[in-house]
Amino acid sequence: MVYRVIGLMSGSSLDGLDIAFVEFQETAGEWRYEIIQAACYPYDDIWKKQLEEAPLLSAKEYQLLHTDYGHYLGQRVNQFIEEHQIQYQAALISSHGHTTFHMPERKMTGQIGEGAAIAAETALPVVTDLRSLDIALGGQGAPIVPIGEKLLLKEYDYFLNIGGIANISHNREKYTAFDVCPANRVMNLLAKDAGKEYDEKGQMAASGKINKELLEKLNTLDYYRQPFPKSLANDFGTGIVYPLIKSAGLSIPDSLATYAEHITIQTGNALAAIKEPQLCTENLKMLVTGGGAYNEWLIGSLRKTLGLRQVDIVVPDSLLIDYKEAMVMAFIGVLRWRQEYNVLSSVTGSSRDNIGGALWTGQEA
């Protein structure tokens, strides 16, 4: 079977809306994929502010934003289809939405971007609300990307995505994955304090010095002592980690250098926690994606640390770096359409594997 699907992803780093048009082919239970077209539509200052402040809204204003953002998503999909001349080629849209609340301990998660609005704008079937069933079943609702890693990227042993939040996955029979620590969301806030959108290639971090006192405070935060499965809300980075860094009174380069070291240490700790196989003659491979894959200083630090565990860092081409998550959102939508499990309980800690997602029919009967 062949499926051509549009996947939408808006990450916690607020850099923009990622859209990927992907072809999936299933033959005797084996899956292949090809990202045919992809684009990122940056958020303007108004949308950035609205998404960032969404958790502060009243119930009424929140629901209005949920609807408005759904129409925005649908309009961007239409723009993408027009720009890439793929009219009548996509059979389905699968949208992650933008996370505003994530409270698995209360069995609640919230991603705005109303599916009905996307379906109305595009006249295509739409899958949204990908995490809620897993949350209702007692899981973390995150990470959900591992189902795509397991079925589409079998050649890798580990996966590290360095987005607004860094998360790690281990590709073994019982798949393991969890959020490691805040990443780009915090580093970008620090870069903005220096008048930059982000620390390009990690150049500012490379010029800084690691502050051991701050590093120790970061590494002893309660989250890092919790066993997996576990997941992070955006406000852990913005409301706890970033203020802790600022309170140290360091220069921006020193802050970035210290935080890059923190990410490296926590990634190493995560690798140890999932008890990777004993050292072997052939190194294991870790695929690194997300915006942090372009941070040469951070990647160099990870290569040095993880190389001691005989784990090789693999940074793929820019298409997979930038659009892996949008591609997997498309794949999750395909599995939902097929009524097949698309969330792994071994990853999220829910009571069972589940088929997440609400389906909206956009076309006329």
Side-chain angles (χ1 to χ4, degrees):
M1 290 291 292
V2 175
Y3 303 88
R4 295 183 178 91
V5 186
I6 291 174
L8 310 183
M9 181 67 198
S10 176
S12 57
S13 57
L14 288 171
D15 51 355
L17 172 66
D18 292 336
I19 304 182
F21 176 47
V22 191
E23 179 176 288
F24 301 98
Q25 184 172 348
E26 184 268 334
T27 305
E30 294 294 318
W31 287 93
R32 291 183 296 170
Y33 77 94
E34 179 187 359
I35 301 175
I36 300 173
Q37 299 286 354
C40 178
Y41 293 90
Y43 293 125
D44 61 24
D45 290 342
I46 295 174
W47 270 113
K48 278 186 179 180
K49 182 178 175 61
Q50 287 186 103
L51 295 174
E52 193 167 26
E53 297 180 356
L56 307 177
L57 297 175
S58 68
K60 177 183 176 181
E61 293 301 318
Y62 181 86
Q63 284 301 120
L64 288 171
L65 180 62
H66 177 51
T67 300
D68 289 345
Y69 185 58
H71 284 284
Y72 170 87
L73 295 178
Q75 291 160 10
R76 294 292 76 75
V77 169
N78 287 339
Q79 179 183 350
F80 176 81
I81 289 172
E82 182 70 25
E83 288 176 351
H84 296 282
Q85 299 182 355
I86 54 172
Q87 294 88 344
Y88 309 110
Q89 294 185 44
L92 181 70
I93 297 168
S94 183
S95 174
H96 175 270
H98 188 85
T99 298
T100 51
F101 297 100
H102 186 66
M103 302 172 65
E105 71 281 2
R106 298 290 302 274
K107 295 190 176 181
M108 188 277 283
T109 188
Q111 287 77 43
I112 60 170
E114 188 181 59
I118 303 172
E121 290 282 352
T122 62
L124 286 169
V126 176
V127 175
T128 59
D129 201 15
L130 307 179
R131 300 179 185 268
S132 290
L133 179 59
D134 190 80
I135 290 279
L137 291 168
Q140 293 286 312
I144 59 172
V145 169
I147 188 68
E149 296 166 343
K150 180 178 181 179
L151 297 178
L152 300 173
L153 298 162
K154 294 182 177 181
E155 64 269 34
Y156 299 100
D157 304 286
Y158 299 98
F159 302 91
L160 179 67
N161 186 74
I162 312 174
I165 294 170
N167 50 68
I168 193 170
S169 310
H170 186 19
N171 196 2
R172 57 166 59 171
E173 185 174 344
K174 184 178 180 182
Y175 210 95
T176 303
F178 55 92
D179 288 343
V180 175
C181 62
N184 294 345
R185 191 74 177 92
V186 169
M187 290 192 288
N188 290 351
L189 286 172
L190 293 170
K192 285 179 181 178
D193 290 337
K196 300 178 183 290
E197 284 296 309
Y198 60 95
D199 183 11
E200 186 174 2
K201 297 182 180 181
Q203 293 174 352
M204 284 193 290
S207 69
K209 295 181 180 178
I210 296 169
N211 182 281
K212 292 184 179 179
E213 182 179 354
L214 173 59
L215 185 62
E216 183 178 357
K217 288 181 180 179
L218 290 167
N219 287 331
T220 54
L221 289 170
D222 288 343
Y223 177 78
Y224 304 123
R225 291 193 289 269
Q226 296 175 19
F228 61 86
K230 58 183 179 177
S231 60
L232 282 169
N234 292 334
D235 58 8
F236 180 76
T238 58
I240 295 176
V241 173
Y242 175 70
L244 178 60
I245 296 172
K246 295 301 292 182
S247 69
L250 306 177
S251 68
I252 300 302
D254 287 358
S255 297
L256 285 164
T258 303
Y259 200 69
E261 181 67 11
H262 171 67
I263 294 172
T264 300
I265 289 171
Q266 292 307 321
T267 302
N269 290 345
L271 203 63
I274 54 183
K275 298 179 180 178
E276 73 274 17
Q278 295 297 315
L279 298 181
C280 54
T281 56
E282 185 175 336
N283 282 14
L284 302 171
K285 294 193 296 182
M286 174 183 281
L287 182 72
V288 180
T289 55
Y294 295 112
N295 187 318
E296 295 176 0
W297 175 257
L298 177 58
I299 293 299
S301 178
L302 288 167
R303 282 201 165 107
K304 181 178 178 181
T305 297
L306 302 189
L308 298 175
R309 297 178 179 273
Q310 289 191 273
V311 175
D312 288 336
I313 296 291
V314 178
V315 178
D317 61 63
S318 60
L319 199 60
L320 193 56
I321 289 175
D322 294 335
Y323 298 105
K324 174 191 164 195
E325 289 198 318
M327 179 268 287
V328 174
M329 294 309 130
F331 184 60
I332 288 172
V334 170
L335 296 177
R336 168 64 179 86
W337 185 264
R338 287 165 59 101
Q339 287 290 294
E340 295 178 1
Y341 292 131
N342 58 10
V343 183
L344 301 171
S345 60
S346 65
V347 170
T348 66
S350 60
S351 59
R352 58 176 171 83
D353 293 347
N354 52 87
I355 304 170
L359 178 61
W360 308 84
T361 302
Q363 72 270 39
E364 295 183 13

